[in-house]
Amino acid sequence: MVLVICLLLFQTARVEAADVRLYRYVNADGSLVISHTIPAHEVAGGYDIIDAASGRLLERVPAQLTPEQLAIKQANDRERQACLDDLDRVHSLYSHEKEIDRALKEALASIDSRIKNAEANVTQLRSEQKTLEREAAQLERTGGVLSEILVNNLERTQIQMDTLEGEIAQRHRDKVGARERFSEDREIYLNGHCPDMVANF
């Protein structure tokens, strides 16, 4: 019975020894410290948890970031995630670089078609406007009074032309934007990866 108790106590001691963990950290003086406890004021600096029996690293707790470092990390994380999202988008749209060129060509052709339609409408409205202006001029020469309908039609054609000319200008800007957008897609596709963007704090 005594032998059994001794064996049990020995086994318990071995298990307890195997479960002992130590803390390894660098203190405020820059010295490496290994202890069974870690002062609260040293926790923010980061520490290692190691197995007392083997010295094996069990866990590494990194140092807490300052507000400035945290802001940098969050900005880097957002930038990297945006890059990963762009990669996913580009690779889901294109399987080859030539597909990017084809998509750009189709986008520009679509915009050009809208520009031509708008220009044709402007030409038609300008012709209508000239007809109305001749009618108004004829009335003025003969001492007639411009009707409200004629005045409204003149104003309407001018507003419509201004609107269409604004649309045409926007479509030309759209072409510039399309070239830039597809150029960025090509660069993303060819680059094929995102930087790690790990800050050295």
Side-chain angles (χ1 to χ4, degrees):
M1 182 64 69
V2 173
L3 180 59
V4 171
I5 293 173
C6 289
L7 287 172
L8 289 173
L9 291 173
F10 176 72
Q11 290 293 339
T12 300
R14 289 184 60 188
V15 171
E16 290 177 351
D19 289 341
V20 173
R21 298 183 175 189
L22 298 175
Y23 297 93
R24 180 173 58 196
Y25 60 94
V26 177
N27 64 16
D29 297 329
S31 301
L32 182 64
V33 179
I34 299 177
S35 174
H36 290 284
T37 60
I38 178 171
H41 65 274
E42 299 286 2
V43 171
Y47 56 91
D48 294 335
I49 302 175
I50 59 177
D51 180 73
S54 64
R56 181 171 57 90
L57 177 65
L58 300 176
E59 182 181 358
R60 172 155 291 167
V61 179
Q64 296 178 11
L65 300 180
T66 66
E68 293 78 11
Q69 291 171 335
L70 180 59
I72 293 172
K73 180 182 182 302
Q74 290 173 338
N76 288 345
D77 289 345
R78 287 193 298 270
E79 187 172 345
R80 177 171 171 77
Q81 187 57 54
C83 177
L84 292 172
D85 291 343
D86 282 339
L87 272 179
D88 289 341
R89 176 183 58 80
V90 167
H91 285 288
S92 68
L93 291 173
Y94 316 111
S95 59
H96 194 278
E97 183 183 358
K98 290 182 179 179
E99 293 184 1
I100 302 176
D101 296 330
R102 183 164 56 250
L104 171 60
K105 185 177 179 180
E106 292 173 355
L108 293 177
S110 176
I111 296 172
D112 282 335
S113 176
R114 295 181 182 183
I115 291 174
K116 288 179 180 179
N117 288 337
E119 288 175 340
N121 289 334
V122 169
T123 299
Q124 182 179 349
L125 285 168
R126 188 170 288 120
S127 176
E128 181 181 343
Q129 185 185 51
K130 288 180 179 179
T131 299
L132 293 171
E133 287 174 346
R134 283 196 297 269
E135 183 179 345
Q138 180 64 27
L139 286 171
E140 288 179 349
R141 283 194 298 270
T142 59
V145 178
L146 299 181
S147 68
E148 184 178 349
I149 294 177
L150 179 58
V151 172
N152 288 340
N153 285 339
L154 282 167
E155 292 178 351
R156 174 183 55 80
T157 54
Q158 186 61 54
I159 291 172
Q160 289 177 333
M161 283 193 298
D162 291 343
T163 301
L164 286 169
E165 288 170 353
E167 179 184 339
I168 292 169
Q170 179 59 52
R171 297 305 178 195
H172 283 293
R173 290 192 292 270
D174 290 343
K175 291 180 68 174
V176 174
R179 291 190 179 95
E180 292 175 350
R181 184 172 66 256
F182 283 99
S183 176
E184 290 173 358
D185 282 356
R186 182 182 292 103
E187 184 178 351
I188 293 169
Y189 184 88
L190 294 177
N191 189 29
H193 71 280
C194 294
D196 290 337
M197 303 182 69
V198 177
N200 296 319
F201 296 131

